Amino acid sequence: MAKKVQRTYQQDIVGDGISSIQKVREPHRERSGKGIKYVLIGVCTLFLSVMLLLPLTVVVTNALRDGWEAYREAVFDEYTIKALQLTLLAAVTAVAVNTIFGLFASYLLSKYYFRGRRILAALIDIPFSISPVIAGLVFILTFGNVGWMGDFLKSHDIKIVFAVPGVILATIFVTFPFVFRELLPVMNTNGNDEEEAAALMGAGGFTIFRRITLPHIRWALLYGVILCAARALGEFGAVSVISGHLRGKTNTLPLHVEILYNEFNTTAAFAVSSILVVLAVLILIARNIVEWKRDR
């Protein structure tokens, strides 16, 4: 009994010693952690200020440098309006096509197992790995007058290169992996158990998708749509190659900004750039809302 009491006493002493050491170390660890945290906050703030806030400030100040009248004249210019309309048309078309494609492709690769699944997924990721300029050149060599489909298109009076269909096609190409890449991990995580149970109970394929699959992926789908729209609105490389820079016909907003800047009309260039900035801010707000809803 005496040995047991002595052992218990020794354990209490050792425990008190360890607790004392931990109490001494915890404030030091807490101070060290706070120091690292403030350093990281400072680095992130500095980086965002230089790479984001400063350019935005330059755009706004240069756009309004010659006054409100000059800004309004540049924004409501005929060519600016046409460029904005074409940009929105290409973005909406690309989002619609890529949303449908992303749903089908992600459903296929997550619900069915077949030979060549990995090859198909790798092919969908091609726009991430090649330059948009190369993509535009490939479309010219495919659908242009010297391309292997040139004679067929010319004989049927179909114009793709240096026309609006080419701009839309290039925009679709550079943006089609975004919705797919947001949906595939979510569908893989959810698995097939609920769909199989619904099928055993007699539910049809469309009912299963509408009542079970879609509610699980709705936030990932919205997030992919937002990313696709943001990429489509700012696309420059592929569209620049395939459009031909025809003012008022095949120019999107980024191309119109380039033309104005090359003409040394910097105020109008920054004024038109502010439209893209406003669109980017709206997309950023929508993305943050979707992320917040998804996290909840």
Side-chain angles (χ1 to χ4, degrees):
M1 184 68 181
K3 289 183 179 181
K4 185 176 180 181
V5 172
Q6 185 178 4
R7 191 181 302 113
T8 305
Y9 178 72
Q10 289 175 350
Q11 289 175 351
D12 292 340
I13 293 176
V14 172
D16 292 340
I18 294 174
S19 301
S20 302
I21 294 173
Q22 288 178 345
K23 289 179 181 180
V24 171
R25 286 181 177 177
E26 281 177 0
H28 174 70
R29 188 181 305 163
E30 196 172 315
R31 286 194 298 269
S32 177
K34 284 185 177 180
I36 296 174
K37 179 179 72 173
Y38 291 135
V39 169
L40 293 177
I41 290 174
V43 171
C44 293
T45 303
L46 179 62
F47 183 81
L48 290 176
S49 299
V50 173
M51 300 300 295
L52 184 62
L53 296 180
L54 184 60
L56 290 178
T57 304
V58 170
V59 169
V60 174
T61 54
N62 281 277
L64 300 174
R65 182 176 56 187
D66 294 338
W68 176 253
E69 280 299 321
Y71 176 83
R72 190 179 65 83
E73 182 179 351
V75 169
F76 291 99
D77 180 70
E78 176 187 0
Y79 294 124
T80 303
I81 297 298
K82 289 183 177 180
L84 176 60
Q85 290 174 346
L86 180 57
T87 301
L88 294 177
L89 174 63
V92 170
T93 306
V95 168
V97 171
N98 293 330
T99 300
I100 297 173
F101 171 80
L103 279 170
F104 287 168
S106 58
Y107 192 87
L108 171 65
L109 293 180
S110 62
K111 307 301 180 183
Y112 299 95
Y113 295 90
F114 55 91
R115 187 174 298 175
R117 289 176 66 253
R118 295 183 182 275
I119 297 176
L120 180 58
L123 290 176
I124 295 174
D125 287 336
I126 284 179
F128 284 148
S129 58
I130 67 173
S131 169
V133 176
I134 302 300
L137 181 61
V138 168
F139 282 126
I140 289 180
L141 296 176
T142 304
F143 303 109
N145 292 332
V146 297
W148 63 275
M149 288 189 65
D151 295 334
F152 173 81
L153 296 175
K154 190 184 299 183
S155 63
H156 290 79
D157 196 22
I158 300 174
K159 192 171 180 60
I160 294 179
V161 176
F162 305 150
V164 173
V167 174
I168 296 176
L169 187 64
T171 306
I172 291 173
F173 175 80
V174 299
T175 57
F176 77 78
F178 284 92
V179 177
F180 166 78
R181 273 299 157 196
E182 289 297 322
L183 291 178
L184 184 62
V186 177
M187 287 190 175
N188 284 331
T189 303
N190 291 335
N192 303 329
D193 295 340
E194 295 185 23
E195 285 90 345
E196 291 175 354
L200 290 174
M201 296 176 66
F206 181 74
T207 302
I208 293 174
F209 178 80
R210 182 173 57 88
R211 300 291 297 273
I212 297 176
T213 306
L214 189 59
H216 286 317
I217 65 172
R218 63 183 185 275
W219 296 118
L221 177 62
L222 284 175
Y223 193 74
V225 166
I226 290 172
L227 291 180
C228 181
R231 181 69 176 85
L233 290 173
E235 172 53 30
F236 179 85
V239 172
S240 177
V241 174
I242 202 172
S243 68
H245 291 263
L246 302 178
R247 177 174 266 175
K249 295 182 179 180
T250 61
N251 265 354
T252 59
L253 276 182
L255 300 183
H256 189 52
V257 171
E258 183 200 24
I259 289 177
L260 292 174
Y261 189 79
N262 289 336
E263 293 175 348
F264 300 100
N265 193 356
T266 55
T267 301
F270 280 110
V272 177
S273 298
S274 67
I275 300 176
L276 292 172
V277 170
V278 171
L279 292 175
V281 171
L282 293 176
I283 290 175
L284 180 63
I285 293 173
R287 192 197 72 173
N288 288 335
I289 292 174
V290 169
E291 283 184 345
W292 177 67
K293 290 282 188 180
R294 185 175 63 178
D295 292 340
R296 290 186 62 188

